[in-house]
Amino acid sequence: MSKPNDAERRAQTIAALRDFADRVEIDPTIPTPTDVDIRVHLHSTRGTQAQRFAAVFDFAEQHGAPVTENPRGHRKTTKRFGPIDLTVLAFADKQNTAFGVVTRADDPALTAA
């Protein structure tokens, strides 16, 4: 069995989210969700470091969210949709010692690419 491509994975995720929503709607034994955390992890198998970081910035800029850099050099952004937090996290190729808010223009990992 081959690995699904990005379009197939996206379709599977959408179907699973719809199934989850339907189950919450019809099954009273499922407690009402008050906070839902969804994480999208962009590992090294998902393009170059610059491509992964650019994907985080693209999402953040589209949704008006800040991008942060953690002590390991990963880039992360989160957007809240009602009770749902969608976090996009791009892993760095190697660990870094800096962390905090970072902008696309000042991100050394993107300016070097």
Side-chain angles (χ1 to χ4, degrees):
M1 181 174 189
S2 65
K3 292 174 67 174
N5 63 33
D6 192 57
E8 292 167 334
R9 282 192 305 269
R10 182 177 286 269
Q12 290 169 352
T13 300
I14 291 166
L17 288 168
R18 286 193 177 120
D19 182 50
F20 174 72
D22 290 344
R23 288 175 190 270
V24 170
E25 185 175 51
I26 64 172
D27 185 347
T29 66
I30 297 174
T32 302
T34 55
D35 288 300
V36 177
D37 294 316
I38 299 174
R39 296 182 179 270
V40 177
H41 293 142
L42 303 176
H43 296 278
S44 61
T45 58
R46 301 280 300 266
T48 66
Q49 176 176 280
Q51 290 169 327
R52 295 188 307 273
F53 287 4
V56 171
F57 280 105
D58 290 346
F59 177 82
E61 290 166 2
Q62 181 69 32
H63 296 282
V67 174
T68 58
E69 177 181 11
N70 74 11
R72 293 184 173 186
H74 308 327
R75 305 300 189 271
K76 178 177 94 169
T77 188
T78 300
K79 170 66 177 169
R80 190 154 182 91
F81 298 92
I84 300 170
D85 280 332
L86 175 58
T87 298
V88 181
L89 173 66
F91 291 94
D93 288 341
K94 57 185 173 182
Q95 293 189 7
N96 195 353
T97 57
F99 59 94
V101 174
V102 62
T103 66
R104 183 189 294 260
D106 297 328
D107 193 324
L110 291 177
T111 56

